[in-house]
Amino acid sequence: MTNSTAPVSKNAILAIILVSYVMIVLDTSIVLTGLPNIRRDLGFGDTGLAWVQSAYTLSFGGFMLLAARAGDTFGRRRMLMLGLSLFTVASLAIGLAHSPVAMVAARAIQGLGAAILAPSTLALLQTTFAEGRERTRAISLYSAVAGIAASVGLVLGGVLAEWLSWRVGFFINLPIGIAMLWAARRFIRESEPVKGRFDVAGAASSTLGMTALVYGLIRSASAGWGDTWTQASLAAGLLLLAAFILIEKHAGQPIMPLRLFASRQRSAAYAARVLFLGAMIGFFFFGTQFLQVVLHLSPSLTGLAFLPMTLVNFAMALRVPALTRRFGNAPLLATGLACTLAGMAWLSLAGGDTPYWLGVALPMVLIGAGQGMTLSPLTAAGIAGVAKADAGAASGIVNVAHQLGNSLGLAVLVAVAAIGAGARTGVALMAHRVTFALSSAAGMLALALLLVLALLVRPGGKRAGL
């Protein structure tokens, strides 16, 4: 039983926040290097394989705003423990899955657990650490572990897929989840609940709208843009999302308060996050398959092949607090996006005869440096100047932008990758898909950079508060 009068241990709370977030990010990446084995073992098709990732990110993003509001209403510790429990049980179900339907369903439930868990962790970070140097350090660590976990997940997923089984990567969550449940109960005080009503209509319209939109985009890759179901899904998705905005405008207690978009800087940070994460999920999803199918690397070597990116990402993320103090948040963000753009454009030129060290490893170094400089400033810009009462909602929007970028970005890139494929098969088809997907990912990064330069960075200086 938690002693409510005991002094708060900020280090213990930070450790719980970081480890819980590591679980979420780790499972987003650990599955990627195991995708070829998952496709073979469970019988997924080329485009259907995207649902292993999209089911998770759609459920994650779709329920995030409602879960963030629930944290404010019922207490953040309670919701964090509920999210941990769902995530852990779903991880077990994924490890035991023996069909595409079972895998996708379990991934969707895992995404729901992550949707409850993620905003609770970021809201706890906001309310535990004072704005300024203390919070900058905490957010930098939060963003750094995200990059590290994504990187470790790629390596670990490849090693486990080759030497044991891709299933083991999900079983790892069981002891970690149980330990975090105990630690949360022991060290985290329950927040003061705020009475309120749930915006069920907003949650339903946003979740169904995104699901329809992503389904239509992924279906277009196999059925074509003229397919009736593709067109109907896309139209339904757009209409539902338009309805969501109208619902939020008139709701008494919206899950996405539109006042949070009144800040031009925060709005630019949300949009840039969507574009950046869309590009990065394309890099991981298609890069993994390129290394295994086109360059014929084993799953374990594929994981190790990402090390040039992951090591640089880790080193750069640790330098972010010092770099932010010296140069400012917005200039650092712009530099990170430019660096990632250069690396992605270079990597998009890779083909079957590309030498790994020159055509893959060096671009990955640029991508790793850019990601290390980008995530923390994006997070800081997304919650800058937010009132304490809106901490849960603001953290929810940051995480929604993150998952929206993952799910919508991957769906767009899967659709784009199918353009002009013709009668290609095997290695030639994969090389074509990777080139188109990564070129489009570079386009997303270019748009994100333009947004940041136009709305966050002033010529000759930096925006106040950023």
Side-chain angles (χ1 to χ4, degrees), residues 372-422:
M373 283 186 276
T374 298
L375 278 178
S376 179
L378 270 179
T379 303
I383 60 175
V386 173
K388 206 166 188 177
D390 286 329
S395 64
I397 293 175
V398 168
N399 280 290
V400 165
H402 198 105
Q403 300 309 319
L404 179 63
N406 277 330
S407 54
L408 188 58
L410 181 58
V412 168
L413 294 177
V414 166
V416 168
I419 296 173

Side-chain angles (χ1 to χ4, degrees), residues 109 228 422:
I109 295 170
T228 301

Side-chain angles (χ1 to χ4, degrees), residues 70-91:
D72 293 336
T73 304
F74 292 121
R76 293 181 187 120
R77 186 185 73 170
R78 184 176 288 111
M79 295 308 295
L80 183 140
M81 293 180 71
L82 175 61
L84 277 169
S85 300
L86 271 177
F87 193 91
T88 303
V89 171
S91 297

Side-chain angles (χ1 to χ4, degrees), residues 151 306-318 339 361 364-373:
S151 305
F306 280 95
L307 281 178
M309 185 214 74
T310 60
L311 294 176
V312 174
N313 179 17
F314 174 66
M316 187 59 70
L318 293 179
C339 196
M364 281 188 177
V365 168
L366 288 174
I367 292 172
Q371 184 176 14
M373 283 186 276

Side-chain angles (χ1 to χ4, degrees), residues 1-388:
M1 186 173 181
T2 304
N3 182 1
S4 60
T5 62
V8 175
S9 171
K10 290 188 177 183
N11 287 335
I13 293 174
L14 183 59
I16 294 166
I17 290 171
L18 296 182
V19 173
S20 298
Y21 196 52
V22 163
M23 285 179 65
I24 296 172
V25 178
L26 192 67
D27 270 30
T28 304
S29 63
I30 203 169
V31 71
L32 290 172
T33 37
L35 282 174
N37 287 14
I38 292 172
R39 176 170 53 187
R40 183 196 64 214
D41 292 352
L42 301 185
F44 277 99
D46 283 341
T47 55
L49 191 65
W51 281 105
V52 174
Q53 196 72 358
S54 293
Y56 176 82
T57 55
L58 269 174
S59 180
F60 195 163
F63 289 101
M64 182 86 70
L65 294 171
L66 188 63
R69 179 61 69 190
D72 293 336
T73 304
F74 292 121
R76 293 181 187 120
R77 186 185 73 170
R78 184 176 288 111
M79 295 308 295
L80 183 140
M81 293 180 71
L82 175 61
L84 277 169
S85 300
L86 271 177
F87 193 91
T88 303
V89 171
S91 297
L92 175 63
I94 293 167
L96 297 174
H98 285 281
S99 71
V101 172
M103 162 63 91
V104 171
R107 284 287 278 172
I109 295 170
Q110 191 184 40
L112 174 59
I116 297 170
L117 182 57
S120 298
T121 61
L122 189 51
L124 279 168
L125 187 151
Q126 287 177 258
T127 54
T128 303
F129 300 94
E131 192 161 5
R133 188 166 185 171
E134 185 180 75
R135 188 182 293 178
T136 297
R137 174 182 172 272
I139 290 176
S140 295
L141 288 171
Y142 188 83
S143 301
V145 299
I148 295 163
S151 305
V152 170
L154 290 169
V155 177
L156 186 60
V159 170
L160 292 175
E162 183 175 353
W163 294 353
L164 295 173
S165 169
W166 56 266
R167 300 176 187 275
V168 177
F170 294 98
F171 292 145
I172 290 171
N173 287 330
L174 296 179
I176 299 175
I178 292 169
M180 287 302 99
L181 283 167
W182 173 85
R185 187 170 180 79
R186 171 70 177 81
F187 293 106
I188 297 177
R189 294 181 187 176
E190 186 56 275
S191 60
E192 192 70 30
V194 178
K195 290 184 179 180
R197 292 174 298 173
F198 286 111
D199 180 14
V200 177
S205 58
S206 62
T207 303
L208 292 174
M210 281 307 306
T211 301
L213 193 60
V214 170
Y215 175 77
L217 288 167
I218 292 177
R219 183 179 176 87
S220 73
S222 56
W225 294 101
D227 176 68
T228 301
W229 279 106
T230 297
Q231 295 175 351
S233 295
L234 293 173
L238 292 173
L239 287 172
L240 282 165
L241 291 175
F244 169 65
I245 299 299
L246 290 175
I247 290 168
E248 296 309 281
K249 186 176 180 180
H250 299 289
Q253 290 183 312
I255 57 172
M256 188 180 75
L258 297 183
R259 62 180 174 270
L260 291 174
F261 294 89
S263 165
R264 203 170 52 158
Q265 288 80 18
R266 278 201 301 270
S267 296
Y270 299 146
R273 195 178 191 95
V274 170
L275 292 165
F276 178 75
L277 267 298
M280 291 308 298
I281 192 62
F283 162 70
F284 288 122
F285 185 83
F286 287 98
T288 298
Q289 295 180 74
F290 173 79
L291 290 168
Q292 292 191 41
V293 177
V294 179
L295 297 189
H296 307 293
L297 298 185
S298 65
S300 60
L301 284 178
T302 296
L304 293 172
F306 280 95
L307 281 178
M309 185 214 74
T310 60
L311 294 176
V312 174
N313 179 17
F314 174 66
M316 187 59 70
L318 293 179
R319 293 287 302 155
V320 163
L323 292 172
T324 301
R325 288 193 298 272
R326 183 172 180 182
F327 299 107
N329 202 63
L332 184 61
L333 174 55
T335 302
L337 285 171
C339 196
T340 311
L341 170 58
M344 194 74 72
W346 187 354
L347 188 61
S348 71
L349 302 176
D353 57 351
T354 298
Y356 168 76
W357 289 108
L358 180 63
V360 178
L362 287 180
M364 281 188 177
V365 168
L366 288 174
I367 292 172
Q371 184 176 14
M373 283 186 276
T374 298
L375 278 178
S376 179
L378 270 179
T379 303
I383 60 175
V386 173
K388 206 166 188 177

